[in-house]
Amino acid sequence: MYSPKVTEIIKKLEQINQFVQSGIIFWNSLILPIIITIFVTYLLDVYKTENSEFSIIVLILALLVVLLHACFIFLQFKGSSIDTMLSEYQEKDAKLLDISDDFDISKLSYTSDVFTFSAQRKSTRFAVDALSYAIGTLRNKELAEEPVNTTELNEMLHSVIWPLVTYREALFDFKAGALWNFALYGPDEHNKLVPIWRKCDERIKPRNRHWAPGFGVVGLSYIHKKIKHEDDISNEDHGEQNTSIDAERYKSIIAIPVVPCEDGSSDTDHEPSGVLIITSNSAGQFKLDRDADFLQMYANLISILVEKIASHKAAEGGVDE
């Protein structure tokens, strides 16, 4: 594992080795030639002068110089080995630093994923509880032959989708001050996709536009029965007629078809019962690898309630307002 202390020690050892090698170069290139020159001059003087004796002190100094030079030669030899060793250590230390950086990134990603998965689990649990309560309520109403008004049905739908809104920051990384919009579109009697439920930031004034299948991200998701996703809708052309205000409020969008029997257990080619959309005024808000599977599963839960409401309305021959 990478340690800053090891890096610091390697740098200090490298500085010491460079200092020693510089000292050896200084000795070999300047000090030693001067000493040799002085010693040779002394020898010449002794040789020319009659009855001159070789000084013991000079001999001792010469031996010391030889020993010192031998030490420098040893240090120079070892210095090259140390330099090679330090280079290898620096390379390994750099690799460990890269691994440490990758590990930190992975740890941050893991922490973010755990936070997101926790929010997905909580929102799914609340949605399942709300769905169970809504289905049970409708069943009890049918058994008791009691009518269910539109307000009650809307409240049931709201209770299933509401966890997405509540956990939007943890689920989709919405930042403070972001403009968000959640809506569920369904086909009307003219086969136009109209909003049947919506919750958005209070700063947004909904236009509640109707979409024909195949037009807009909503219509494309409906007709293809696939998730449609745009990082910046202003850069694409799907048949929308957006105003300058729309460009500020809606940038990234993800649309999820609400399709019954998505597992293919039925031979019937079911048309989607609606489209769930989420928008943001921030580009790149949604990530398919993080959001697609979760939102498709969530849309399947919504489809159960939507289909149950539709069958209840058919059985009742209409719903009381």
Side-chain angles (χ1 to χ4, degrees):
M1 184 59 67
Y2 172 77
S3 174
K5 291 184 178 180
V6 174
T7 302
E8 185 178 353
I9 291 173
I10 293 175
K11 288 182 178 179
K12 287 183 178 180
L13 288 175
E14 184 182 18
Q15 291 173 355
I16 293 172
N17 185 56
Q18 289 178 349
F19 178 78
V20 171
Q21 294 303 314
S22 298
I24 293 173
I25 292 173
F26 181 75
W27 166 266
N28 289 333
S29 60
L30 183 62
I31 303 299
L32 184 61
I34 293 174
I35 293 176
I36 292 174
T37 301
I38 294 173
F39 185 70
V40 170
T41 302
Y42 174 77
L43 289 178
L44 290 174
D45 290 341
V46 171
Y47 178 77
K48 292 179 180 179
T49 305
E50 295 182 1
N51 300 323
S52 295
E53 295 182 359
F54 195 82
S55 175
I56 299 300
I57 296 176
V58 173
L59 180 60
I60 293 174
L61 291 175
L63 290 175
L64 289 176
V65 169
V66 170
L67 289 175
L68 185 61
H69 185 62
C71 291
F72 283 154
I73 292 175
F74 177 79
L75 289 175
Q76 188 174 20
F77 173 76
K78 286 296 182 180
S80 60
S81 301
I82 292 174
D83 187 61
T84 302
M85 180 184 66
L86 289 176
S87 297
E88 292 177 354
Y89 282 161
Q90 285 178 326
E91 183 178 352
K92 292 179 180 180
D93 190 61
K95 290 180 179 179
L96 286 175
L97 178 59
D98 291 339
I99 294 173
S100 179
D101 291 339
D102 292 340
F103 178 79
D104 290 338
I105 294 173
S106 299
K107 183 179 179 181
L108 182 63
S109 177
Y110 172 79
T111 303
S112 177
D113 288 344
V114 168
F115 187 62
T116 300
F117 293 154
S118 176
Q120 290 179 351
R121 180 180 61 84
K122 290 177 183 178
S123 57
T124 303
R125 184 188 67 199
F126 286 129
V128 170
D129 290 343
L131 177 62
S132 299
Y133 180 81
I135 297 295
T137 300
L138 288 173
R139 182 183 64 246
N140 294 336
K141 292 282 187 178
E142 290 172 356
L143 291 174
E145 298 183 352
E146 296 179 2
V148 182
N149 59 44
T150 303
T151 301
E152 290 176 311
L153 294 177
N154 289 339
E155 288 177 353
M156 293 177 186
L157 198 58
H158 174 84
S159 65
V160 174
I161 307 177
W162 182 246
L164 287 179
V165 181
T166 302
Y167 289 100
R168 63 185 180 275
E169 294 181 359
L171 289 171
F172 311 110
D173 198 27
F174 276 101
K175 303 301 183 183
L179 299 178
W180 48 269
N181 172 54
F182 293 76
L184 178 65
Y185 282 79
D188 63 3
E189 63 273 12
H190 303 295
N191 201 32
K192 293 284 188 178
L193 297 171
V194 300
I196 57 178
W197 179 91
R198 183 188 299 277
K199 187 66 178 178
C200 61
D201 190 281
E202 59 184 10
R203 291 168 291 177
I204 297 177
K205 184 178 181 181
R207 295 173 62 185
N208 291 325
R209 286 172 288 187
H210 297 183
W211 298 100
F215 289 87
V217 177
V218 176
L220 288 172
S221 178
Y222 181 84
I223 198 170
H224 293 299
K225 294 192 287 187
K226 293 182 179 179
I227 292 178
K228 296 297 179 181
H229 162 260
E230 295 293 348
D231 283 328
D232 192 343
I233 196 67
S234 61
N235 296 331
E236 303 294 335
D237 183 13
H238 297 298
E240 295 95 334
Q241 295 179 351
N242 294 326
T243 65
S244 58
I245 296 178
D246 287 337
E248 295 177 359
R249 294 176 177 176
Y250 308 106
K251 283 192 177 294
S252 52
I253 180 172
I254 187 167
I256 310 94
V258 179
V259 185
C261 297
E262 185 64 20
D263 61 354
S265 60
S266 173
D267 294 332
T268 304
D269 186 15
H270 292 277
E271 290 294 329
S273 52
V275 176
L276 174 68
I277 71 160
I278 310 174
T279 68
S280 169
N281 67 326
S282 299
Q285 183 73 64
F286 308 104
K287 298 177 175 60
L288 289 180
D289 58 347
R290 179 194 66 191
D291 304 328
D293 291 339
F294 165 70
L295 286 174
Q296 189 60 72
M297 178 191 66
Y298 208 100
N300 292 342
L301 294 176
I302 296 173
S303 72
I304 297 173
L305 181 58
V306 171
E307 290 297 303
K308 180 61 179 178
I309 290 175
S311 63
H312 178 81
K313 287 182 178 179
E316 289 291 324
V319 179
D320 295 336
E321 296 295 335

